[in-house]
Amino acid sequence: MTWLRIRQTAMGRPQSPHSSKSQTRAHEDRGADPRGEFLSCVGADPVYKLLNTSGLPSHVWPTVEEPVVGRIGYHVHNGKHDVTEYDWAQYLDFADRYMN
């Protein structure tokens, strides 16, 4: 599964019972609708659970730099719109978990 495919599952369309997704947003990135992105993960959660996967472990908005990780993952980094070292660390941890 490519990173693009992981990003596409943010739209709430798991590809299979073994699909995973990771989504990120910056704390100060209000123009990109970080809350709406998180809510898309919450909306996808019942589908993942229907397929007997862990889905999103919490439906509570995560605090900055405290990722929520199940088969759906979401994190918010400090700062403005950017892909940071913290983001890459989260993506790689997520990939290690699900892409053996």
Side-chain angles (χ1 to χ4, degrees):
M1 179 178 291
T2 65
W3 288 115
L4 175 60
R5 187 168 233 172
I6 291 170
R7 292 282 286 182
Q8 288 172 336
T9 60
M11 303 304 288
R13 300 181 308 246
Q15 306 297 319
S16 75
H18 303 292
S19 289
S20 304
K21 66 141 324 279
S22 179
Q23 183 66 30
T24 182
R25 192 51 55 205
H27 179 255
E28 298 175 24
D29 194 1
R30 302 289 181 229
D33 190 20
R35 187 95 176 140
E37 287 183 340
F38 179 72
L39 291 175
S40 75
C41 295
V42 170
D45 182 57
V47 176
Y48 279 77
K49 290 188 175 158
L50 179 68
L51 299 171
N52 294 319
T53 66
S54 61
L56 189 67
S58 174
H59 291 186
V60 177
W61 176 259
T63 57
V64 175
E65 297 189 357
E66 292 292 328
V68 176
V69 181
R71 289 299 276 198
I72 301 171
Y74 189 87
H75 73 273
V76 180
H77 68 251
N78 257 326
K80 297 184 179 187
H81 185 83
D82 198 0
V83 178
T84 66
E85 281 186 45
Y86 176 79
D87 294 321
W88 279 110
Q90 300 312 303
Y91 296 144
L92 294 173
D93 287 348
F94 189 83
D96 286 343
R97 183 182 290 221
Y98 295 112
M99 299 178 180
N100 297 335

